């Protein structure tokens, strides 16, 4: 891409076909795939050995094919605090996404697998986590925002404000939101202030802290 | 029965002949000592003998398996020899010697009787060694007495307790008797208790009268000695102490034997009660208790042939291990050659009264047939229940397998294909509407497969449990749902059943009820998981309608639970499932 050294990526997925496709896609987007693993243990060893910038890990791996990828992410995060991790998941479950970033959202992402069908989306997500940002799949955010509620402060938000809240929950920065919606940064900042005051959230949170606060509010703040 | 009677009467006649013979010898002898016995005392003596004879007849007719009558016969014979001791026969003569030597044998026979009770047989090595030893001692004592006792003694002065002028050797002999006779009695009582402990309830019941009579006999025998020794003749006559003691001494044991035999007779009367009881009808499963009461054996086991052919089941349908029948009496009850049931009971009950169990079995035949059918149906029901649970578990396993196949097979391929398509499009460098369309279709297919897999068996249910899975359902619902569920985990079949009940109820509410809010409550108390789904909709739902709930009713029932739908018109709908939690 540019003169900067390429981002070094390790892949973990037990499905060879998909892993190869992912590797091809990432390489085509300018990443350096430094290693591939087919289970959690091999992943741990690979990370130890090749010190990548980002790990892209499938949520389902042997032996139970349920949520090994999430556990691997938490474990790797403890062992390598600076390592960025993107979990590719088949599950549209808000619990998994919110739990992943609950304690520390920096450089963590939860992306649905069908999202990676577009090279650009995958590359964008990998770059964002590599840069210390957070990524939450829009479909998961839509589920969080869309849960029917009897009485909700969300009802008091304007359409635009709801849109911005969703993008914040996906892990976008104010600049990211502005770019996405084609708005001035100042305008976005004004909306964010409004949203925070309507929802009763602390106003000056930024970056990953803001993602955590918004997600926690969406998932646990107001009951159905 | 007739043979029993004739044999009993034969033995009774022999005993009567012994008694009459003894009496004749005494009556025809003009001996002074015998004359001091008053006519009323003689009559009492004869009455006592009659009681013994009646006891023997009762025993032989009621308990023919018992050999006790032989010991009783022996004791009668020995009793006559003791009587002949009243005659002034010089011990050192051909007739006098055996009469003298066997004069104290009656005490040995009593000890024999107590130890051999109730079968009449010596049961173990100790008994077989001890009883002959007592007999030998009784004779040996007399031999020693004959050699060392002072010559100026009257015919009964070898009584060990009687106070006599001191004489070295004689003192040794009589004090050895004084010490050993109570010891022997004590041993016999201990043996009686030990034998009782080995018996079942039926045998113990039969032992009860003897347990009172034997100590009574020992005490009265000793009291008799002391009365003889320390009360003078006038005082004895005045108080009748010796007479009373001798009556207690001689009657306690035959009366105990008769009471025991009479108890068996009472058991027969229970058969008549049983007929009445059965006539009034017995609740299914209650027959064992009724029969146990009739044969007076609380340990009675009632077993029926298992429906599958081999083995037995109880009235509750549970399998009974035939090994537990070992050492017990098994009575088969059949009808036209077909086994209806087996009665398994205490061998002592059968020895007590061999016909009783069979009588009870035949009286209860019809009731047994009913109970057998009920037991077999229960056993089959248990089997069906188990198989239904297995079917549900197999279906769940199959759904999980399909879910995995979809995720790890079809979905992976579709995603990989979409990615390669995108790479191809990038490489082609030009945007193609056709390729865009294909990508969109592929992504829709991936989403569909994902939803299909989730519907089959959501991973969150396996991985995080019922509460989070229900919470995830609520997020996806079209109307607000409040969830109250514990974080606790339950067994996989219970979690799956509860989850699908909630999912189906929510789907129905969303489709038909016109509700604005739903509450899902999950509680686990008293070993049961309760799930309630309440909506504020229009109600009036038909619980029988819709295959969804119908299938869930079966699923819940397969786990031994219940599903209830309350849906009064205008009053909202409540679906409640209750599932037993495996301990």
């Amino acid at each position: 891409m540019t003169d900067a050294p390429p981002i070094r990526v390790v892949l973990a997925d037990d499905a060879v076909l998909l892993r190869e496709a992912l590797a091809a896609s990432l390489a085509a987007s300018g990443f350096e795939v430094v290693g591939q693993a087919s289970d959690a243990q091999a992943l741990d060893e690979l990370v130890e050995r090749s010190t990548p910038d980002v790990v892209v890990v499938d949520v389902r791996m042997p032996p139970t094919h349920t949520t090994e990828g999430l556990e691997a992410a938490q474990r790797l995060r403890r062992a390598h605090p600076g390592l960025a991790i993107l979990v590719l998941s088949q599950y549209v479950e808000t619990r998994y996404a919110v739990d992943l970033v609950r304690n520390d959202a920096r450089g963590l992402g939860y992306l649905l697998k069908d999202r990676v069908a577009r090279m650009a989306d995958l590359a964008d997500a990998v770059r964002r986590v590599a840069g210390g940002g957070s990524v939450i799949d829009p479909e998961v955010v839509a589920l969080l925002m869309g849960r029917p509620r009897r009485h909700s402060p969300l009802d008091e938000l304007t359409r635009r404000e709801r849109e911005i809240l969703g993008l914040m929950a996906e892990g976008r920065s104010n600049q990211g939101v502005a770019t996405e919606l084609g708005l001035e940064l100042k305008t976005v900042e004004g909306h964010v202030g409004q949203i925070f005051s309507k929802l009763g959230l602390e106003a000056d949170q930024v970056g990953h802290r803001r993602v955590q606060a918004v997600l926690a509010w969406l998932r646990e703040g107001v009951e159905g | 029965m007739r043979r029993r009677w004739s044999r009993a009467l034969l033995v009774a006649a022999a005993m009567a002949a012994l008694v009459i013979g003894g009496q004749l010898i005494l009556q025809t002898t003009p001996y002074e000592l015998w004359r001091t016995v008053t006519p009323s005392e003689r009559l009492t003596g004869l009455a006592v003998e009659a009681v013994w004879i009646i006891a023997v007849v009762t025993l032989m007719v009621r308990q023919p398996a018992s050999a006790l009558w032989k010991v009783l016969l022996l004791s009668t014979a020995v009793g006559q020899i003791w009587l002949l001791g009243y005659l002034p026969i010089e011990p050192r003569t051909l007739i006098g010697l055996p009469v003298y030597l066997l004069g104290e044998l009656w005490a040995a026979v009593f000890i024999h009787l107590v130890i051999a009770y109730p079968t009449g047989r010596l049961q173990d090595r100790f008994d077989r060694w001890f009883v002959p030893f007592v007999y030998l001692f009784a004779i040996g004592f007399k031999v020693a007495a004959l050699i060392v006792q002072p010559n100026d003694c009257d015919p009964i002065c070898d009584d060990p307790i009687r106070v006599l002028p001191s004489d070295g050797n004689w003192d040794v002999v009589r004090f050895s008797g004084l010490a050993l006779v109570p010891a022997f009695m004590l041993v016999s009582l201990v043996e009686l208790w030990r034998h009782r402990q080995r018996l079942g309830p039926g045998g113990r019941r039969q032992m009860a009268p003897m347990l009172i009579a034997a100590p009574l006999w020992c005490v009265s025998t000793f009291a008799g000695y002391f009365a003889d020794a320390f009360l003078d003749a006038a005082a004895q006559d005045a108080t009748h102490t010796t007479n009373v003691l001798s009556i207690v001494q001689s009657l306690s044991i035959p009366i105990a034997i008769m009471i025991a035999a009479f108890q068996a007779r009472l058991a027969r009367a229970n058969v008549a009660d049983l007929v009445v009881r059965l006539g009034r009808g017995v609740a299914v499963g209650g027959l064992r208790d009724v029969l146990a009461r009739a044969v007076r054996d609380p340990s009675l086991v009632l077993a029926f042939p298992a429906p599958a052919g081999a083995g037995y089941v109880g009235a509750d349908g549970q399998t009974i291990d035939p090994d537990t029948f070992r050492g017990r009496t098994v009575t088969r009850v059949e009808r036209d050659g077909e086994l209806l049931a087996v009665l398994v009971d205490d061998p002592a009950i059968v020895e007590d009264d061999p016909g009783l169990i069979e009588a009870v079995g035949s009286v209860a035949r019809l009731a047994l047939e009913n109970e057998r059918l009920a037991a077999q149906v229960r056993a089959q029901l248990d089997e069906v229940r188990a198989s239904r649970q297995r079917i549900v578990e197999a279906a769940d396993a199959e759904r999980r397998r399909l879910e995995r196949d979809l995720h790890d097979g079809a979905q992976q391929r579709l995603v990989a294909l979409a990615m390669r398509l995108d790479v191809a499009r990038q490489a082609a460098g030009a945007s193609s509407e056709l390729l865009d369309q294909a990508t969109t279709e592929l992504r829709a297919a991936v989403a569909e497969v994902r939803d299909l897999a989730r519907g089959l068996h959501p991973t969150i249910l396996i991985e995080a449990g019922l509460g989070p899975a229900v919470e995830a359902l609520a997020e996806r619902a079209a109307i607000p749902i409040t969830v109250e569920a514990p974080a606790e985990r339950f067994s996989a079949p219970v979690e799956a059943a509860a989850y699908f009940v909630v999912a189906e109820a929510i789907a129905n509410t969303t489709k038909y009820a016109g509700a604005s809010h739903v509450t899902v409550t999950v509680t686990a108390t008293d070993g049961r998981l309760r799930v309630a789904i309440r909506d504020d909709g229009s109600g009036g739902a038909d619980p029988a309608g819709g295959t969804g709930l119908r299938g869930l009713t079966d699923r819940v029932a397969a786990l031994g639970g219940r599903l209830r739908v309350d849906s009064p018109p205008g009053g909202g709908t409540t679906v409640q499932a209750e599932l037993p939690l495996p301990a």
Side-chain angles (χ1 to χ4, degrees), chain A residues 92-94 96 119 147, chain B residues 422 454 463 471 475-476:
Chain A
V92 189
E93 300 289 0
T94 62
Y96 293 157
M119 271 172 74
R147 174 170 183 172
Chain B
D422 201 44
R454 195 180 190 289
E463 184 272 326
E471 193 65 50
E475 277 182 347
R476 289 164 167 73

Side-chain angles (χ1 to χ4, degrees), chain B residues 524-530 579-581:
Chain B
T525 44
D526 313 324
R528 300 186 89 76
L529 182 74
R530 293 181 181 82
L579 291 152
L581 294 170

Side-chain angles (χ1 to χ4, degrees), chain A residues 39-40 43 57-75 87 91, chain B residues 463:
Chain A
D39 60 52
L43 174 64
V57 57
D58 184 14
V59 72
R60 288 167 73 96
M61 275 191 297
T64 68
H65 295 271
T66 54
T67 55
E68 280 81 0
L70 289 171
E71 285 136 34
Q74 301 286 7
R75 200 172 52 240
V87 177
Y91 312 128
Chain B
E463 184 272 326

Side-chain angles (χ1 to χ4, degrees), chain B residues 11 31 51 205-206 227 279 317 339 529:
Chain B
V11 171
Y31 181 56
V51 171
R205 202 166 44 242
Q206 204 188 349
L339 181 64
L529 182 74

